[in-house]
Amino acid sequence: MRRRLGATRLLTLTGMGGVGKTRLALEVAAASATDFADRVWLVDLAPVWDPSLAANAVASALGMPDLGTRPVIDQLAVFLAHRSPLIVLDNCEHLVEACAELAHALLSASPGLRVLTTSRRTLGIGGEHVFAVRPLAPDDAVELLRDRTTAVRPEFRITDGNRAQVLRLCEDLDGLPLAIELAASRLRTLTVDEAVNRLEDRFGLLASGSRVARPHQRTLRALIDWSHELCTLAERLLWNRLSVFVGDFGLDAAEAVCAGDGIGRDEVLDLLDRLVVQSIVVPTEREGLPRYQMLETIRQYGRDRLAESGQEQRMLQRHHAFYLALAERIADGWAGPGQQKSLARLSAEHANLRAALDRGGDPQAVLALAAALRFHWCEGGFLGEGRRWLDHALAAAPEPSPARARALWVAAWVAVLQHDHATAYRWLDEAAELGERLDDPVVCAHVQSLRGTLALFSGRMAEAVSLLEEAAAAHMGTSEKIGAVYALITMATAQSHLGDPRTTQTCRQALALAEAHDERLVRAHAQWALGYDAWRRGDLEEAAVMLRSALENEQGFNDYVRVALMLEQLAWVTGEGGDHKGAGRLLGAARALWRDTDTSISALGPHMVEQHDRCEEETIRVLGPAAYENALAEGGRHRGPDEAIAYALHTEVEPTATPTATASAPSPLTPREQEVAALVAEGMSNRQIASALGRSPRTVHGHVENILAKLGFASRARIASWWTANQAPTPRTTP
C-alpha cells in the first residue's frame, strides 16, 4: 500500500462492510507518518451525512479554522496549496460525489498532497487507483480468531481436536474481520462447536427472511443479530440508545442520555465495559479526552432497533437536552481558567452538537443551542458553520423571544469577525430593538460593543470610543462583567490612534478585570492592547514584553488571526528597535498565518495597513529586497499559530515535555531578562526590581513571566536556583 501511495496521488480502498478497510488505512497511515513533511491526517466521514459538510470535516481534522464567507473547499485549497500531507478520507460511500469533488479540488490545488480513501464505492475520478480489500485467507482468519479470543479468554488454544471446527467457523464467517471479532467475543463463554451450531441456526433464519441479500451482507447481519440476541436486556437497551450519538461520545453523555427506564445511571459504566468486551463499543480518545464509539454498521443496527422500540424520539430529545445544557454551562462559565479545556470539549463533541442542531425539534431550543455555542463558533474556529446554523435557526424561529435576542447579537458577532459589516448592522439593529423591548441589559451591552468594534474597523475612531465607553459601562452593570474587557480593549485601540492620554489607563483597567477572572484569552487581548499602546508611546521595551506575554497566553488556542496580528505588531516593535532581519522574519510568520486563513491585516482597518506598510518599507530599505524575501521565507516556514508563537519567543516546540535549562546550555534569556533574573535571585520583589531598574512593576512582571516560560519553571525560587547554578555575569543595561 505504501509503495502504491508513492506512485499515485489518489488511492481508494474498496470492499464490503466489515472487511477491514479502515483498519488497513490506519496501519498504512501510521507506517507512512515519516513519509510526509506535513503529517498524516485522518478524516472520519461516518458521522457526516450532509454532503455539504464533507469539506468542513476535513478542515476540522486539519485544524484549519473556517473563518470566511467563502466556501470551505476554497479555503482548504488555499490552506493546502503550500503543504504536502497525506489525508485519509475514511467511510466515503455515503458521500461519494462530495468526496470526489473534494479530492479533485484539493489535489488540483496542492501538488504535494496525497489522498487515501476507504469506500464501498470508488470515487470515479481521473487519476484514482483502486485497491480491492479481500476477506482474510483461511490461515489469516484463524490467526485473527485466536488472537481476539485469547484477549477475552486467555486459556483458549487451537488444537488438533478443534482446528477443523475453527476453520469451519471462519469459513462460515466468510473471512470477514469484523464478523470474526464479534464471534471471538462470544467464545468467552461458548465452545467453538456451540458457536458453529448457533450461527448455522441464525443463518437459516436470516436466509428464510431475505433471499435477495448478498452472502457477505447476510453473514454480517447474522453475526450482529446473534450478538444482540446474546446480550442481556440492559446491554441491548444501552446498545440501542447509544445509537443516537454521532461519532464518539463521553461517559457523562451516555449516562445523561441513556439512563432510566431499565438502566440505572450508576449501571451505565459497567454496561459500557461489557459492550467493550463484546466488541460492540470501542474505547477511543479525542482532544485528549476518553471517549467511546461504535462502528457505523453496529450503530445503525442499534438505531433500527431503537426505532422499532418506539423510544427513538424520546432519546433524541434527551440527546438535544444534554448538549444544550453542556453548551450553556460552558458559555455561562466562560470567564475563567478553563477555556482551553472547554474549547477542546466542544471540538470533541462537534459531530453530536451538529446532530443536536439538525434534529432538535423545537425551533426555540435549536436557537438557544446555536447562541449558546458562541465561543465554539467564534473562538474555536467554526465561524462559517456557526453562521449557517445561526442563519437557519433565526429563520426558523422569528418570534420575539429572549433566545432570539441572544442569537441576534451572536450572529452579529460572527458577521463582524467575518468582516461582513452590512449583515452585522442588520442583526444589531434588530437585536437592539428586541433587547430594549425585553429589557435585557446584556443584549443591549453587546450591541453597543459590537457597534463600537464596527466603527473601529471602519476607521471612525472618535465614534468607536464613544460607543465602547457606553458599552463598557453597560457591561459593568450586568452579570457578564467580563464583556467590559472586550469593550475596553477595543476602546483603547481607538484611543491610541487618537492620541488620547487615557489609553494606558484603559488598557490597565482591562488587564485588571481579566486577571480578576483568571481569564487567559481576555488577558492576552489586554496584554496586546498594552503592548500596542506602549509601542504608540515609543516604549519599545514594554511593548515587546506585553506582546510576548500576550503570545504566551495565546498558546494552545489555534487562533490564526489573533496570533498573526500580535506577530505583526511585534515585528513593528522589533524593527523600530533596530533588528530589521528579526522584523522581516516575524512579518513572514504573520504572513503565513494570514495566507492560511485567506485574509490579511487589511480586514482590521486602514490604520493597520498603514503601519504594516511603514514597517515593511523600512525593513526593505535597510535589508534590501533579496534579504527581506529570505527573512520572510524563514519566518513563514513555521506551520500554525503554536509553531509561530514558539518561533517568535525563541523556543522549541516540544510535543511531549517542556525543556528545562541546564547550567551547560547557553542562556535563553535576553540581556534585560538576565538582569531581572539576577535581581530575583537576590530576593527582590517585582516592585523592588522596578525601582532598581527604573521600569514599571507591570513591565518587570512581564519579564518574570517570560523568564518562567523560557526556562520551564513554575516559581521564582527555581529562577534563583538556576541563576546561582549558572553564575552568568549580569549584563547591566541602562534604564
Side-chain angles (χ1 to χ4, degrees):
M1 289 295 301
R2 291 180 67 191
R3 285 195 299 273
R4 290 198 179 205
L5 270 178
T8 181
R9 298 183 62 210
L10 173 61
L11 182 61
T12 296
L13 306 186
T14 62
M16 73 285 295
V19 79
K21 300 183 294 298
T22 295
R23 186 71 60 86
L24 177 57
L26 291 176
E27 287 296 321
V28 171
S32 304
T34 59
D35 299 343
F36 294 89
D38 291 299
R39 301 172 58 189
V40 178
W41 302 91
L42 173 67
V43 185
D44 182 11
L45 294 172
V48 181
W49 288 95
D50 183 345
S52 69
L53 294 175
N56 296 70
V58 176
S60 181
L62 266 62
M64 187 206 85
D66 173 16
L67 302 179
T69 54
R70 295 180 61 192
V72 177
I73 194 169
D74 294 343
Q75 296 179 60
L76 273 170
V78 172
F79 186 82
L80 290 169
H82 304 279
R83 288 176 163 83
S84 301
L86 168 64
I87 296 178
V88 181
L89 300 179
D90 190 29
N91 296 302
C92 297
E93 51 272 348
H94 59 299
L95 302 168
V96 167
E97 291 184 6
C99 289
E101 178 187 354
L102 182 62
H104 176 74
L106 299 187
L107 288 167
S108 300
S110 174
L113 172 66
R114 296 287 188 277
V115 177
L116 174 63
T117 75
T118 72
S119 177
R120 298 180 196 180
R121 299 162 53 196
T122 63
L123 301 191
I125 61 176
E128 180 184 27
H129 287 231
V130 178
F131 184 92
V133 181
R134 306 294 183 190
L136 295 176
D139 288 346
D140 292 332
V142 168
E143 177 62 19
L144 179 63
L145 183 73
R146 183 201 62 78
D147 180 75
R148 296 302 188 262
T149 304
T150 55
V152 296
R153 185 178 168 187
E155 70 277 10
F156 178 78
R157 298 289 184 274
I158 297 178
T159 66
D160 291 341
N162 66 7
R163 184 178 301 277
Q165 283 293 78
V166 167
L167 278 168
R168 181 179 174 187
L169 177 60
C170 291
E171 289 171 1
D172 284 349
L173 297 173
D174 293 331
L176 289 175
L178 176 58
I180 291 169
E181 292 203 13
L182 291 172
S185 72
R186 291 304 167 190
L187 293 179
R188 181 166 48 99
T189 54
L190 298 176
T191 66
V192 176
D193 284 342
E194 288 173 329
V196 169
N197 292 333
R198 291 193 179 212
L199 269 178
E200 287 186 346
D201 291 343
R202 171 54 58 189
F203 288 149
L205 287 172
L206 192 63
S208 66
S210 174
R211 297 290 182 184
V212 297
R214 296 204 307 260
H216 289 308
Q217 287 179 326
R218 193 160 60 237
T219 299
L220 196 56
R221 173 72 185 203
L223 255 295
I224 298 175
D225 268 340
W226 184 44
S227 294
H228 195 266
E229 201 173 85
L230 293 178
C231 287
T232 67
L233 175 60
E235 289 168 353
R236 288 198 296 271
L237 282 174
L238 184 60
W239 177 349
N240 298 348
R241 293 173 186 180
L242 289 174
S243 69
V244 298
F245 292 105
V246 179
D248 48 56
F249 53 89
L251 174 61
D252 60 340
E255 289 174 334
V257 175
C258 302
D261 300 324
I263 300 177
R265 191 183 185 94
D266 58 349
E267 296 178 295
V268 172
L269 177 58
D270 179 60
L271 290 171
L272 269 173
D273 286 342
R274 283 149 59 180
L275 291 177
V276 167
V277 170
Q278 297 170 54
S279 298
I280 303 303
V281 172
V282 180
T284 185
E285 182 179 294
R286 185 183 295 274
E287 301 289 344
L289 301 171
R291 313 277 289 170
Y292 298 90
Q293 67 179 22
M294 290 192 288
L295 294 179
E296 185 59 24
T297 304
I298 292 173
R299 189 196 72 84
Q300 191 56 54
Y301 179 92
R303 190 62 177 272
D304 292 342
R305 290 297 182 120
L306 183 66
E308 291 170 6
S309 72
Q311 294 186 350
E312 185 177 31
Q313 285 306 311
R314 187 151 53 89
M315 289 300 112
L316 291 176
Q317 289 168 2
R318 286 188 188 177
H319 179 276
H320 182 276
F322 173 80
Y323 285 104
L324 175 58
L326 174 67
E328 289 182 334
R329 187 167 65 251
I330 287 175
D332 292 342
W334 179 254
Q339 292 169 335
Q340 200 167 344
K341 288 184 179 179
S342 293
L343 288 176
R345 177 66 192 272
L346 291 173
S347 179
E349 300 289 5
H350 188 73
N352 279 297
L353 292 169
R354 183 186 283 160
L357 286 163
D358 189 45
R359 59 196 189 193
D362 176 13
Q364 288 293 328
V366 172
L367 194 61
L369 178 56
L373 288 171
R374 53 189 174 273
F375 295 109
H376 183 51
W377 309 137
C378 297
E379 300 288 2
F382 294 96
L383 283 178
E385 188 169 346
R387 178 166 182 167
R388 287 191 291 277
W389 285 117
L390 284 160
D391 286 350
H392 174 78
L394 285 165
E399 300 81 10
S401 64
R404 182 172 181 83
R406 285 191 297 274
L408 285 167
W409 79 255
V410 173
W413 185 18
V414 170
V416 168
L417 294 176
Q418 290 186 312
H419 317 296
D420 183 355
H421 293 188
T423 298
Y425 276 121
R426 177 164 57 87
W427 290 135
L428 287 174
D429 287 344
E430 185 181 349
E433 187 274 329
L434 187 54
E436 289 177 7
R437 192 197 316 179
L438 298 173
D439 193 22
D440 189 328
V442 172
V443 170
C444 294
H446 281 295
V447 168
Q448 284 295 89
S449 186
L450 290 168
R451 282 175 170 167
T453 302
L454 287 167
L456 172 70
F457 287 172
S458 300
R460 304 193 307 274
M461 302 299 171
E463 180 185 345
V465 170
S466 176
L467 288 167
L468 291 161
E469 205 163 20
E470 292 177 14
H475 272 295
M476 291 302 293
T478 72
S479 58
E480 293 188 15
K481 291 182 173 57
I482 196 67
V485 181
Y486 291 95
L488 289 168
I489 291 166
T490 313
M491 182 170 73
T493 306
Q495 286 176 329
S496 182
H497 283 282
L498 294 171
D500 191 325
R502 300 174 298 166
T503 303
T504 304
Q505 179 56 37
T506 302
C507 290
R508 289 177 177 165
Q509 185 183 354
L511 185 58
L513 267 175
E515 290 178 342
H517 286 82
D518 194 16
E519 220 265 29
R520 270 183 66 191
L521 274 180
V522 175
R523 184 188 299 136
H525 284 219
Q527 288 166 332
W528 163 78
L530 274 166
Y532 186 71
D533 172 57
W535 171 72
R536 296 279 298 184
R537 291 187 283 106
D539 190 340
L540 299 184
E541 182 182 350
E542 183 174 357
V545 168
M546 287 295 108
L547 288 169
R548 288 174 181 276
S549 296
L551 285 167
E552 287 279 359
N553 278 312
E554 280 288 348
Q555 286 183 313
F557 285 101
N558 200 44
D559 194 308
Y560 280 69
V561 172
R562 208 156 45 223
V563 172
L565 176 60
M566 291 174 181
L567 292 171
E568 280 271 357
Q569 294 182 351
L570 188 57
W572 307 344
V573 173
T574 302
E576 289 195 17
D579 182 3
H580 294 94
K581 188 174 182 180
R585 290 167 175 164
L586 289 167
L587 287 174
R591 183 177 71 170
L593 298 180
W594 292 126
R595 181 191 63 208
D596 283 345
T597 53
D598 196 22
T599 185
S600 74
I601 198 169
S602 63
L604 301 176
H607 52 292
M608 293 295 185
V609 177
E610 292 171 12
Q611 290 154 1
H612 167 86
D613 291 347
R614 192 179 304 122
C615 177
E616 185 174 55
E617 290 165 5
E618 180 64 12
T619 305
I620 293 172
R621 186 189 69 77
V622 174
L623 297 180
Y628 174 63
E629 287 299 325
N630 288 337
L632 283 176
E634 182 177 337
R637 286 201 303 266
H638 304 281
R639 304 295 198 189
D642 279 356
E643 280 193 28
I645 290 171
Y647 176 69
L649 299 177
H650 304 293
T651 60
E652 293 292 326
V653 176
E654 290 288 338
T656 56
T658 302
T660 300
T662 64
S664 60
S667 174
L669 307 183
T670 66
R672 175 69 83 183
E673 289 166 351
Q674 291 180 44
E675 190 172 20
V676 171
L679 297 176
V680 169
E682 293 177 16
M684 287 190 181
S685 67
N686 284 359
R687 190 168 295 280
Q688 289 170 325
I689 296 172
S691 177
L693 298 181
R695 311 305 301 172
S696 72
R698 193 170 299 282
T699 298
V700 172
H701 174 76
H703 281 310
V704 172
E705 290 294 308
N706 287 340
I707 293 167
L708 291 169
K710 286 184 177 182
L711 299 181
F713 296 157
S715 70
R716 296 169 72 93
R718 292 289 304 280
I719 296 175
S721 298
W722 174 83
W723 183 261
T724 301
N726 276 267
Q727 289 295 308
T730 305
R732 302 300 294 183
T733 59
T734 55

